Amino acid sequence: MKKFALLSLLSASLLTVALAADAPHHKAAIGQPAPQFSLPDQNGKTVNLSDYAGKTVVLEWFNPGCPYVQKFYDAGKMNEFAKQYAGKDVAWIAINTTRENTPASNKEAASKWSIDRPILSDDGGKVARMYGAKSTPDMFIIDKTGTLVYSGAIDDQPDPDPKTLDSAKNYVTTALDQLLSGQPISTPQTKSYGCGVKY
């Protein structure tokens, strides 16, 4: 009986250790340090979040097959946003967690839409789980101190119709403008919309 109890205790301990080894250090939360990661971009280069220390960083969950993502890229809006803030020390990074994505498929998407910034391949879904990304696009803003300050939808129009772009209230650009001008972010968290992230 004692032997059985000892074996059960040992098995439980090993399982706990295994789960702890697989778990990220912490989950993303507003007001807390953003989880660190390293992922390959569309050119095969490893990109670390720490490469952008001291910069404001926008993380955009990306899936080229998603009509909600296509709405922003076909109209050139996402590139426009990224370029608008690039001169203000803001790095804009796309992350693709879709199961079939590869650096090669991300490179194809980059070529199609003239994306000149990193598209990272998170094919195992580890980083998406760390951040709690649920849809494409799901957006996150990290300030210059490395703190997560926004998470959620890109705007208030959960519709793939490009006509909604002109009337949309953009939560991300509003948050960036407030952050860069030293104001508190009025809406630090919203409910994301779009295509479900395919883990």
Side-chain angles (χ1 to χ4, degrees):
M1 189 69 178
K2 286 182 180 179
K3 184 177 180 181
F4 176 76
L6 183 61
L7 286 172
S8 297
L9 182 62
L10 181 61
S11 296
S13 298
L14 288 172
L15 179 60
T16 301
V17 170
L19 289 173
D22 288 339
H25 294 300
H26 67 277
K27 294 280 187 178
I30 298 295
Q32 298 298 315
Q36 295 293 314
F37 60 80
S38 297
L39 293 172
D41 71 6
Q42 68 269 35
N43 298 310
K45 177 187 174 184
T46 297
V47 173
N48 306 292
L49 180 59
S50 60
D51 296 339
Y52 300 94
K55 287 179 176 276
T56 297
V57 178
V58 176
L59 301 181
E60 165 211 339
W61 252 263
F62 175 83
N63 174 0
C66 173
Y68 293 90
V69 172
Q70 292 168 0
K71 172 177 78 168
F72 287 94
Y73 279 97
D74 286 344
K77 287 291 184 179
M78 204 68 87
N79 288 346
E80 182 182 309
F81 299 147
K83 287 175 183 175
Q84 177 184 345
Y85 291 96
K88 300 177 181 179
D89 219 19
V90 176
W92 196 294
I93 302 169
I95 300 179
N96 191 344
T97 299
T98 310
R99 276 192 298 267
E100 61 270 19
N101 96 88
T102 62
S105 64
N106 288 334
K107 191 168 187 175
E108 185 178 336
S111 176
K112 174 184 176 182
W113 282 318
S114 301
I115 302 170
D116 60 359
R117 56 193 183 278
I119 303 175
L120 308 185
S121 179
D122 180 36
D123 56 353
K126 182 179 178 181
V127 177
R129 289 184 175 90
M130 288 164 66
Y131 279 83
K134 298 179 179 65
S135 58
T136 52
D138 202 344
M139 310 294 294
F140 300 84
I141 300 175
I142 301 163
D143 73 9
K144 291 183 177 182
T145 71
T147 301
L148 185 68
V149 294
Y150 177 82
S151 72
I154 188 168
D155 62 24
D156 65 348
Q157 297 292 322
D159 189 319
D161 188 345
K163 292 178 182 177
T164 62
L165 288 167
D166 293 333
S167 59
K169 175 185 178 181
N170 194 301
Y171 296 123
V172 173
T173 58
T174 298
L176 284 171
D177 289 342
Q178 291 172 337
L179 181 65
L180 295 172
S181 64
Q183 300 175 45
I185 294 175
S186 55
T187 308
Q189 195 157 24
T190 60
K191 184 178 179 181
S192 64
Y193 69 82
C195 305
V197 171
K198 308 296 191 297
Y199 288 105

